[in-house]
Amino acid sequence: MAGTALPLPFVDARTSSPSPAGQVPVVLIHGWASGSVYWEPLAKLLLDAGREVWILDLPGYHRGQDLPADFTWTLESAAASVGAAIRARTDGPVHLVGHSMGGSVSLTLAAKHPELVATLALVGMVPAPQNEAFKNLLVSQLEQGFFDAATKLKLMNAWYGELSAEDMELLSKGFDTPFRILSASAWAAMTGVEPSVPSRVQAPLLVIAGTGDRVRSIEQMAAFVAASPTRTLKAIPDAGHTVHWEQPEECARTLCEFWKTSWPPPA
């Protein structure tokens, strides 16, 4: 089943009241070892701004979902599943917002099915090599066959910085995802998108980057954006890899302005 779509058991579609006619839905796609919960602050702000918001869980990430044994977790198969979920709910395009690995899934979908994508926002992600120390740490855990508590803590601190005990418990639940899903999706994320994918994306593209991101540098983000006139960079101070959780107000303002100026496309 490599590259084939799998029905997603969790798509949380939220509509503001009242919702403007002809609203283009916003689809939030989480990263590796994460889930829908860390979108909550941003989703609330977008709803308050009158946006329709869909939050989904990628294949195997929703608690209790049992993937078929022959399903191969790749960026392509994840993108196909997201595409099928979008088509099941709308005839028009959507605003894709993908964080980290979710950005790679979003890029893959936008390149293959441009008719589904009005705009694309990458949060804490561009198709560039990850921090080598982070990658080596991840590989060591994949090779040993489980994620130990010390490594989980290191990863959470790298992604989020200082967290309260309550937020740490809430946000680390992504590691409860079955190891075979965490492993396969981690390898997909580290391999990254096929080289031709970025140049095939037709939609206006925004990169939102925390200046303190420890997974990919702000210099990598800027270099990717500079390669095309259809790409825009918003660097947000006092934020790291999960900029949407750390600075949701600034992310919401940035996204709403991007959508306002990018869609509908200029005549």
Side-chain angles (χ1 to χ4, degrees):
M1 290 182 65
T4 60
L6 187 75
L8 297 181
F10 179 80
V11 180
D12 183 1
R14 306 179 187 181
T15 305
S16 62
S17 181
S19 181
Q23 184 69 264
V24 175
V26 178
V27 180
L28 304 178
I29 304 177
H30 67 80
W32 179 77
S34 302
S36 57
V37 67
Y38 74 171
W39 289 118
E40 289 295 337
L42 178 62
K44 182 180 185 304
L45 292 166
L46 294 178
L47 284 167
D48 289 345
R51 295 286 172 174
E52 181 178 351
V53 179
W54 303 354
I55 310 173
L56 55 78
D57 283 344
L58 290 171
Y61 273 85
H62 189 63
R63 184 181 294 274
Q65 183 187 17
D66 188 19
L67 294 185
D70 59 346
F71 181 81
T72 303
W73 213 110
T74 65
L75 297 178
E76 291 74 18
S77 63
S81 299
V82 172
I86 292 170
R87 285 195 183 90
R89 288 163 177 80
T90 181
D91 294 329
V94 301
H95 296 306
L96 283 184
V97 181
H99 172 244
S100 198
M101 179 186 74
S104 294
V105 173
S106 300
L107 272 170
T108 302
L109 178 59
K112 189 167 185 179
H113 295 288
E115 74 281 1
L116 294 180
V117 183
T119 67
L120 173 58
L122 305 178
V123 182
M125 184 272 170
V126 293
Q130 298 172 331
N131 175 286
E132 198 64 26
F134 170 83
K135 183 175 181 178
N136 290 341
L137 179 65
L138 198 54
V139 169
S140 71
Q141 298 291 288
L142 296 174
E143 290 177 342
Q144 78 175 9
F146 65 95
F147 289 90
D148 57 58
T151 299
K152 290 179 187 178
L153 182 60
K154 285 182 181 178
L155 291 171
M156 293 295 293
N157 287 338
W159 294 335
Y160 292 97
E162 187 173 346
L163 288 171
S164 68
E166 181 181 6
D167 283 345
M168 178 67 79
E169 181 180 2
L170 178 71
L171 295 169
S172 63
K173 290 185 182 298
F175 283 103
D176 295 338
T177 303
F179 182 80
R180 79 177 185 95
I181 305 302
L182 287 178
S183 177
S185 56
W187 286 116
M190 287 189 291
T191 301
V193 299
E194 194 271 326
S196 71
V197 161
S199 64
R200 289 161 43 208
V201 173
Q202 301 174 18
L205 191 154
L206 169 69
V207 174
I208 301 179
T211 57
D213 198 323
R214 295 166 62 184
V215 179
R216 292 180 179 86
S217 70
I218 195 68
E219 290 78 16
Q220 287 174 305
M221 308 279 191
F224 173 75
V225 168
S228 171
T230 64
R231 301 171 189 168
T232 304
L233 174 65
K234 174 63 176 181
I236 298 181
D238 302 318
H241 188 57
T242 50
V243 58
H244 57 289
W245 172 269
E246 300 167 81
Q247 298 284 353
E249 294 87 359
E250 188 60 30
C251 282
R253 282 193 293 270
T254 298
L255 286 166
C256 288
E257 182 60 26
F258 172 58
W259 296 326
K260 180 180 177 181
T261 57
S262 302
W263 189 264

